[in-house]
Each structure stands twice: as C-alpha cells, then as structure tokens.
Amino acid sequence: MKKLMLAVALLFIAESIRANVLWSSTGNTPPRHRNITLENGAPCGVGTPVTPTLMNSGKDIQLEWEEFIPQNGYFEIYFSPANDANWVLLKKIDNIVSAEDLNKTFIIHKANIQLPDVTCEACSLQIIQTVTGTVDAKYFSCADIQITGPADKTQIDPSSNQCPE
Amino acid sequence: MGRVLYLSLLSFSMMVLFQNCQSFETAQVKEFSSQCHAKIKNKILAVGGWSDSECSNLNHYNCALKVYKPYVSSASFKDVQCMELDGSQVCFDVDVDTHDTSSLLNNPKIIDDDFVEGGNFNRQEYRCMQTGIVQGGQPLIIEVADSLESAFSLARKTCRQGVRL
C-alpha cells in the first residue's frame, strides 16, 4: 500500500516546503509537531504549544534530536522564556558528517545542556539546523517546556547570548 | 558614487549593529547566531539605504534547489533553470542537491504522510540569496519557497524593503 501511494505521488512534480531536523519524540523534549519548519515558518512553524515537559531550573539535561538526510553544517539550541521570543543561544554544535554517516538517512544526535536559572510556565527549546552550502539552508524544531524549582533570578543572565532589543 | 555611498553607510550601520550583538555574546560563542542574524536583518532592512538597482540586478542573486524525494539519485550539480519575470524569460545557474529518501520508508518513526507529495520526505525547496548586502560576512537576504520564481520574487521583495536612494 505504501509503495502504491509512493508511486502515485511520484507522478506529480514536487512543490512543497518542509525540512529535516526534529526534536526526538522519545527524548526529554518531544517536538511540538512533526512538520519540520523552514526559514519562512520560523521560529516554530505551524502548531500551538502542547503540554510542556516539566524541568528544573539550572539542571543539566540531555537533549536528543533526529536528523534526516545528514548534511554538513551546524546545530544551534535556543531557549525562549515565553511566547517563542527573546531566544537565547545555549549551545552550538558543529555537524560534520562522516563518510560512514553519509550513507545514512537518519541519525539521532545527543547533547547535554544546562537549563537557564529561571522559572517559566510556557517556555520553549528550539533547535536550528544550518546546512551550509552555496546558499545556506535552515531547519527549525521547537519543544514546549516548563521550568520549575528554586531560582534566584527571574531574568536571564546578561552574559548569555542574547541579542539586543 | 551613489553605490559607494550607500555601501559605506550600510557597512557603518552593520558594524554598529554587529558590535552591539557581539557584546551580548559569551566567550564560548563568537559567531553570529542564527537568531541574532534574523534580528539584525530586520533592523538593517528598516534602515536600508541602497538603490533599487541593487535589488533589480539579477547578477546579485544566487539560487539553490534542494530535493528530498524517494528513489532520486543523490547528487550535486549545476542546472540552468528559467522562469518568467516581469513578462520576459530569465535564467539562473541553480546549484542543485538531490537526496534519496527511500531508505526512510522502512524507518518506524516515519509515517505514510511524510511521503505523500509535499510531505516531509517528498518535497523540494528553492532558496534565493541576495549577494550584495551582507552582514558579518553572511548574506542578509535568503528567501525560501517551493518554486524558483517565488523564491526569487521574495528575495527581491525583501531587498526592496531597504531601497532609499
């Protein structure tokens, strides 16, 4: 049945706008939706926030994301305290695809980050994949989180990677 | 003379904005982050200062195509693609990357909808970049769409937001 659908689909010329990085549905930060988002849908694409994953402020956590069709570039992980805005860069990770991985179409990546020392009820984590080339391509995925627990500060550390207003 | 003037003004504006952005960055992250780039893009477009010829000259654009489809040959090549623009036909050298997604058909994380026309793994993306306006060595304007005509038109439209001369 799947092959039949595929054959029918291939009869048409493709016209679509999707992409290839997602927070892992089996990791600590499941994606808000599975439609991966391009630049024109940034920062989080279509979909309303879902029930957030509960986390503790300042804690080290392991993040997991899925890359489809591995390509050279880098990943950036951002935190938003509310409303998918005021993104703060938490980590940047180079993505150099090995010869072995070039033959794969699916890779699960993992990285540890330290959550900001804040509390927030509707915050989000975003991953951006940049595929470098003649024209760079960017793909986006967001996850909803809630940060509880003791926090001395309600503002993000000003020494963090925050852009100016 | 006009072009030199606006490029000088633009360089100064970008230098100031770039420095402001950098001042928020930590020692770990020296590069211009994607979110910071997006923010500064909007500020530079609001200030603008270049002439319409910067946007209307087709030589100031590079376009690329990424294809994610099952059973295509994975390859990278240049292709001449043409389109109708303002009543006449224009052609671009397009950098094409094709990626075979067929091995994802057996991935349990992938659903059938991902392979219907326009789905996550049966799609194509055109990106057009305006090469004359850069910030921190990176092009300011890259637009994405599902057709060459749309991607180019969007890039030109964005460029024209900053036309002041």
Side-chain angles (χ1 to χ4, degrees), chain B residues 100-129:
Chain B
D100 179 11
T101 61
S102 61
S103 64
L104 290 169
L105 283 164
N106 299 320
N107 187 315
K109 291 190 174 227
I110 309 299
I111 58 174
D112 284 351
D113 281 354
D114 286 333
F115 284 97
V116 300
E117 195 61 44
N120 279 336
F121 305 113
N122 191 1
R123 68 181 198 277
Q124 64 181 16
E125 308 158 1
Y126 280 94
R127 284 180 180 78
C128 286
M129 170 177 78

Side-chain angles (χ1 to χ4, degrees), chain A residues 2 9 14 16 18-19 34 39 66 71 76 78 105 126 134 138-139 159-163 165, chain B residues 24 26 33-36 39 43 66 68-69 71 95 103 105 109 112 117-118 120 123-125 127:
Chain A
K2 189 179 279 186
S16 173
R18 302 275 176 84
R34 284 192 55 82
E39 296 91 327
E66 302 162 354
Q71 295 171 79
E76 294 164 293
Y78 289 89
T105 49
Q126 178 197 51
T134 309
K138 291 185 187 294
Y139 305 110
S159 66
S160 64
N161 303 289
Q162 194 171 19
C163 280
E165 290 303 319
Chain B
F24 285 80
T26 66
S33 73
S34 295
Q35 290 287 3
C36 202
K39 241 179 179 177
K43 291 187 176 192
K66 283 188 177 291
Y68 299 92
K69 284 181 148 309
Y71 304 119
D95 289 296
S103 64
L105 283 164
K109 291 190 174 227
D112 284 351
E117 195 61 44
N120 279 336
R123 68 181 198 277
Q124 64 181 16
E125 308 158 1
R127 284 180 180 78

Side-chain angles (χ1 to χ4, degrees), chain A residues 105-145:
Chain A
T105 49
F106 178 75
I107 297 176
I108 292 182
H109 296 270
K110 294 179 181 179
N112 289 318
I113 62 154
Q114 183 177 18
L115 287 171
D117 195 10
V118 299
T119 59
C120 52
E121 293 190 352
C123 31
S124 46
L125 285 173
Q126 178 197 51
I127 186 158
I128 301 177
Q129 178 187 14
T130 298
V131 176
T132 51
T134 309
V135 181
D136 287 356
K138 291 185 187 294
Y139 305 110
F140 303 74
S141 182
C142 292
D144 297 298
I145 61 171

Side-chain angles (χ1 to χ4, degrees), chain A residues 34-51:
Chain A
R34 284 192 55 82
N35 288 331
I36 314 164
T37 304
L38 307 190
E39 296 91 327
N40 54 6
C44 292
V46 177
T48 54
V50 298
T51 303

Side-chain angles (χ1 to χ4, degrees), chain A residues 1 4 30 44 46 56 65 74 95 97 121 124 132 137 145 153:
Chain A
M1 180 60 185
L4 177 61
C44 292
V46 177
N56 293 318
W65 64 95
Y74 55 90
N95 186 32
V97 183
E121 293 190 352
S124 46
T132 51
I145 61 171
K153 293 169 266 182

